[in-house]
Amino acid sequence: MLLILKTPRLRYHFGEPQLEQLAKTLELDPDYALAHWYRGLAFEQMKMFPEALREMGKAKDLLPRNLAVQCDIGHVYAVSGDKGNAEKVIAVLKRESAHRYVNAYELALIYIGLGKNGQAFQSLEQAFREHSDMLVYLKVDPRLDSIRSDSRFADLMRRVGVPN
């Protein structure tokens, strides 16, 4: 993962150099799930959604019980305009949450992609109550950019203890 200092906050971004490195990694081990997952995230940030879904699908096949991969796939569906499949992922995750932990932060990302900010903030509040480890990414996750200007986001950042 590449960390880039951007004013006024630290952000993480994936791009062409990371895709090249991950491709080399996959030459050594074609079944390395994280390399497929991170390639999916890179393609998503580059708005190459079919490629993102292909790579994340490979990661999901290699990590079939990992719900975070499913959440990221749901986010790609949402931001690519495939609301139907994004909603299906949400429904699966809600069913899974009856007997497994589903990180509410990850669920919030799908709602953000769908433009359902009210539900996204409900999920982020749940993540806060559950002390989700994913809240450490509040300041750097580019998938949260569309809600950063909302006063609820600033309040959440304050309560988590993330400096502005």
Side-chain angles (χ1 to χ4, degrees), residues 12-158:
Y12 73 87
H13 289 278
F14 294 97
E16 288 293 336
Q18 292 73 36
L19 282 174
E20 290 174 21
Q21 183 59 49
L22 291 164
K24 290 177 185 175
T25 300
L26 289 169
E27 287 174 13
L28 297 172
D29 183 357
D31 292 331
Y32 185 47
L34 291 180
H36 287 291
W37 193 353
Y38 294 162
R39 280 177 59 83
L41 291 170
F43 283 128
E44 176 189 359
Q45 288 182 17
M46 298 166 71
K47 302 201 181 324
M48 298 171 69
F49 302 123
E51 294 85 351
L53 290 169
R54 182 190 69 236
E55 290 295 335
M56 287 184 189
K58 289 177 184 176
K60 181 183 172 190
D61 290 344
L62 294 165
L63 300 168
R65 297 202 30 86
N66 188 311
L67 295 179
V69 176
Q70 288 185 350
C71 289
D72 285 349
I73 289 170
H75 182 262
V76 174
Y77 281 138
V79 297
S80 69
D82 189 345
K83 295 181 188 303
N85 275 320
E87 294 285 355
K88 285 179 186 175
V89 172
I90 289 170
V92 167
L93 294 169
K94 286 184 175 182
R95 279 194 306 276
E96 286 290 322
S97 71
H99 56 332
R100 291 180 61 192
Y101 177 69
V102 174
N103 194 317
Y105 176 96
E106 297 279 358
L107 193 57
L109 294 175
I110 303 172
Y111 286 126
I112 290 167
L114 289 169
K116 296 182 175 187
N117 292 353
Q119 289 170 288
F121 278 107
Q122 287 175 357
S123 289
L124 288 170
E125 286 298 326
Q126 181 180 345
F128 178 76
R129 288 189 303 275
E130 295 173 350
H131 304 281
S132 169
D133 62 332
M134 294 299 293
L135 292 173
V136 300
Y137 297 107
L138 281 176
K139 193 169 185 174
V140 297
D141 191 337
R143 297 170 296 180
L144 301 171
D145 285 353
S146 67
I147 64 168
R148 290 187 193 286
S149 62
D150 191 301
S151 62
R152 295 172 289 183
F153 189 79
D155 179 59
L156 179 62
M157 294 260 297
R158 179 190 56 74

